[in-house]
Short mmCIF file of all heavy atoms in Angstrom, two decimals:
data_model
loop_
_atom_site.label_atom_id
_atom_site.label_comp_id
_atom_site.label_asym_id
_atom_site.label_seq_id
_atom_site.Cartn_x
_atom_site.Cartn_y
_atom_site.Cartn_z
N THR A 237 77.50 139.92 149.69
CA THR A 237 77.78 140.49 148.36
C THR A 237 76.85 139.90 147.30
O THR A 237 76.30 140.63 146.46
CB THR A 237 79.24 140.21 147.97
OG1 THR A 237 80.11 140.77 148.95
CG2 THR A 237 79.57 140.81 146.61
N ALA A 238 76.69 138.55 147.34
CA ALA A 238 75.84 137.88 146.35
C ALA A 238 74.40 138.37 146.44
O ALA A 238 73.71 138.50 145.42
CB ALA A 238 75.90 136.37 146.55
N VAL A 239 73.93 138.61 147.68
CA VAL A 239 72.55 139.07 147.86
C VAL A 239 72.39 140.53 147.46
O VAL A 239 71.48 140.91 146.73
CB VAL A 239 72.11 138.86 149.33
CG1 VAL A 239 70.73 139.49 149.58
CG2 VAL A 239 72.07 137.37 149.67
N SER A 240 73.32 141.37 147.94
CA SER A 240 73.19 142.81 147.69
C SER A 240 73.41 143.19 146.24
O SER A 240 72.86 144.18 145.75
CB SER A 240 74.15 143.59 148.58
OG SER A 240 75.49 143.22 148.30
N ILE A 241 74.26 142.40 145.54
CA ILE A 241 74.55 142.75 144.14
C ILE A 241 73.36 142.50 143.23
O ILE A 241 73.29 143.02 142.11
CB ILE A 241 75.79 141.96 143.62
CG1 ILE A 241 76.41 142.67 142.42
CG2 ILE A 241 75.38 140.54 143.21
CD1 ILE A 241 77.03 143.98 142.75
N GLN A 242 72.40 141.68 143.72
CA GLN A 242 71.22 141.40 142.90
C GLN A 242 70.36 142.63 142.69
O GLN A 242 69.71 142.78 141.65
CB GLN A 242 70.39 140.29 143.56
CG GLN A 242 71.08 138.94 143.62
CD GLN A 242 71.45 138.42 142.24
OE1 GLN A 242 70.66 138.50 141.30
NE2 GLN A 242 72.66 137.91 142.12
N LEU A 243 70.34 143.52 143.68
CA LEU A 243 69.50 144.72 143.56
C LEU A 243 69.95 145.64 142.43
O LEU A 243 69.14 146.04 141.58
CB LEU A 243 69.48 145.46 144.90
CG LEU A 243 68.79 144.70 146.04
CD1 LEU A 243 68.91 145.49 147.34
CD2 LEU A 243 67.33 144.43 145.71
N PRO A 244 71.27 145.99 142.35
CA PRO A 244 71.68 146.83 141.22
C PRO A 244 71.59 146.11 139.88
O PRO A 244 71.47 146.75 138.84
CB PRO A 244 73.15 147.17 141.54
CG PRO A 244 73.33 146.88 142.98
CD PRO A 244 72.37 145.81 143.33
N MET A 245 71.65 144.76 139.92
CA MET A 245 71.63 144.01 138.66
C MET A 245 70.23 143.83 138.10
O MET A 245 70.07 143.45 136.94
CB MET A 245 72.27 142.63 138.87
CG MET A 245 73.78 142.67 139.01
SD MET A 245 74.61 143.37 137.56
CE MET A 245 74.21 142.14 136.33
N LEU A 246 69.19 144.08 138.90
CA LEU A 246 67.82 143.89 138.42
C LEU A 246 67.51 144.74 137.19
O LEU A 246 66.99 144.23 136.20
CB LEU A 246 66.83 144.19 139.55
CG LEU A 246 66.72 143.12 140.66
CD1 LEU A 246 65.77 143.59 141.75
CD2 LEU A 246 66.26 141.80 140.07
N PRO A 247 67.80 146.07 137.21
CA PRO A 247 67.53 146.85 136.00
C PRO A 247 68.39 146.43 134.81
O PRO A 247 67.95 146.52 133.66
CB PRO A 247 67.86 148.29 136.42
CG PRO A 247 68.71 148.16 137.63
CD PRO A 247 68.28 146.92 138.31
N VAL A 248 69.62 145.93 135.09
CA VAL A 248 70.47 145.47 133.99
C VAL A 248 69.85 144.24 133.33
O VAL A 248 69.82 144.12 132.11
CB VAL A 248 71.89 145.15 134.51
CG1 VAL A 248 72.75 144.59 133.39
CG2 VAL A 248 72.53 146.41 135.09
N LYS A 249 69.36 143.31 134.17
CA LYS A 249 68.70 142.11 133.63
C LYS A 249 67.44 142.48 132.85
O LYS A 249 67.15 141.91 131.80
CB LYS A 249 68.35 141.15 134.77
CG LYS A 249 69.55 140.50 135.43
CD LYS A 249 69.12 139.58 136.55
CE LYS A 249 70.32 138.90 137.20
NZ LYS A 249 69.93 138.01 138.32
N LYS A 250 66.70 143.47 133.39
CA LYS A 250 65.50 143.93 132.70
C LYS A 250 65.86 144.56 131.35
O LYS A 250 65.17 144.35 130.35
CB LYS A 250 64.77 144.94 133.58
CG LYS A 250 63.40 145.35 133.06
CD LYS A 250 62.70 146.26 134.06
CE LYS A 250 61.33 146.67 133.54
NZ LYS A 250 60.63 147.57 134.50
N LEU A 251 66.95 145.31 131.34
CA LEU A 251 67.41 145.93 130.09
C LEU A 251 67.82 144.86 129.08
O LEU A 251 67.51 144.97 127.89
CB LEU A 251 68.58 146.87 130.37
CG LEU A 251 69.22 147.55 129.16
CD1 LEU A 251 68.21 148.45 128.47
CD2 LEU A 251 70.45 148.36 129.59
N ILE A 252 68.52 143.83 129.56
CA ILE A 252 68.95 142.75 128.66
C ILE A 252 67.74 142.04 128.06
O ILE A 252 67.71 141.73 126.87
CB ILE A 252 69.86 141.76 129.42
CG1 ILE A 252 71.18 142.43 129.78
CG2 ILE A 252 70.11 140.50 128.58
CD1 ILE A 252 72.08 141.58 130.65
N ARG A 253 66.71 141.80 128.89
CA ARG A 253 65.49 141.17 128.38
C ARG A 253 64.83 142.05 127.33
O ARG A 253 64.35 141.57 126.30
CB ARG A 253 64.52 140.89 129.52
CG ARG A 253 64.91 139.72 130.41
CD ARG A 253 63.73 139.26 131.26
NE ARG A 253 63.27 140.32 132.15
CZ ARG A 253 63.71 140.50 133.40
NH1 ARG A 253 64.64 139.68 133.88
NH2 ARG A 253 63.24 141.47 134.15
N GLY A 254 64.80 143.36 127.60
CA GLY A 254 64.21 144.28 126.62
C GLY A 254 64.98 144.31 125.31
O GLY A 254 64.38 144.32 124.23
N MET A 255 66.32 144.33 125.38
CA MET A 255 67.14 144.32 124.17
C MET A 255 66.94 143.03 123.38
O MET A 255 66.93 143.03 122.16
CB MET A 255 68.62 144.48 124.55
CG MET A 255 68.95 145.81 125.21
SD MET A 255 68.69 147.23 124.12
CE MET A 255 70.03 147.01 122.96
N THR A 256 66.77 141.91 124.12
CA THR A 256 66.50 140.64 123.44
C THR A 256 65.17 140.69 122.71
O THR A 256 65.05 140.19 121.58
CB THR A 256 66.49 139.49 124.47
OG1 THR A 256 67.74 139.46 125.17
CG2 THR A 256 66.28 138.15 123.78
N GLN A 257 64.17 141.31 123.33
CA GLN A 257 62.87 141.45 122.68
C GLN A 257 62.98 142.29 121.40
O GLN A 257 62.39 141.96 120.37
CB GLN A 257 61.87 142.10 123.64
CG GLN A 257 61.43 141.20 124.79
CD GLN A 257 60.55 140.05 124.31
OE1 GLN A 257 61.05 138.97 124.00
NE2 GLN A 257 59.26 140.29 124.22
N LEU A 258 63.75 143.38 121.49
CA LEU A 258 63.96 144.21 120.29
C LEU A 258 64.67 143.43 119.20
O LEU A 258 64.33 143.53 118.01
CB LEU A 258 64.78 145.45 120.64
CG LEU A 258 64.11 146.54 121.49
CD1 LEU A 258 65.05 147.73 121.64
CD2 LEU A 258 62.80 146.99 120.86
N ALA A 259 65.68 142.64 119.59
CA ALA A 259 66.42 141.84 118.61
C ALA A 259 65.53 140.81 117.93
O ALA A 259 65.76 140.43 116.77
CB ALA A 259 67.61 141.14 119.28
N ASN A 260 64.48 140.37 118.63
CA ASN A 260 63.55 139.38 118.07
C ASN A 260 62.42 140.03 117.29
O ASN A 260 61.50 139.34 116.84
CB ASN A 260 62.98 138.51 119.18
CG ASN A 260 64.02 137.59 119.80
OD1 ASN A 260 64.99 137.21 119.13
ND2 ASN A 260 63.84 137.23 121.06
N GLY A 261 62.47 141.36 117.15
CA GLY A 261 61.48 142.04 116.32
C GLY A 261 60.27 142.56 117.07
O GLY A 261 59.32 143.06 116.45
N HIS A 262 60.27 142.49 118.41
CA HIS A 262 59.15 143.01 119.20
C HIS A 262 59.41 144.48 119.54
O HIS A 262 59.82 144.82 120.66
CB HIS A 262 58.97 142.18 120.46
CG HIS A 262 58.71 140.72 120.21
ND1 HIS A 262 57.51 140.25 119.72
CD2 HIS A 262 59.52 139.64 120.36
CE1 HIS A 262 57.58 138.94 119.58
NE2 HIS A 262 58.79 138.54 119.96
#
């Protein structure tokens, strides 16, 4: 479960990083 759940979470983590960039003015 821990290994397989990482695959669906990759785009979520990428989205969170992108939202953080937007919040910082980028």
Side-chain angles (χ1 to χ4, degrees):
T237 302
V239 173
S240 61
I241 201 67
Q242 294 301 316
L243 294 176
M245 287 300 294
L246 286 177
V248 176
K249 291 180 179 178
K250 188 175 180 180
L251 178 63
I252 292 174
R253 285 196 299 269
M255 296 296 289
T256 303
Q257 289 290 92
L258 289 184
N260 291 332
H262 301 288

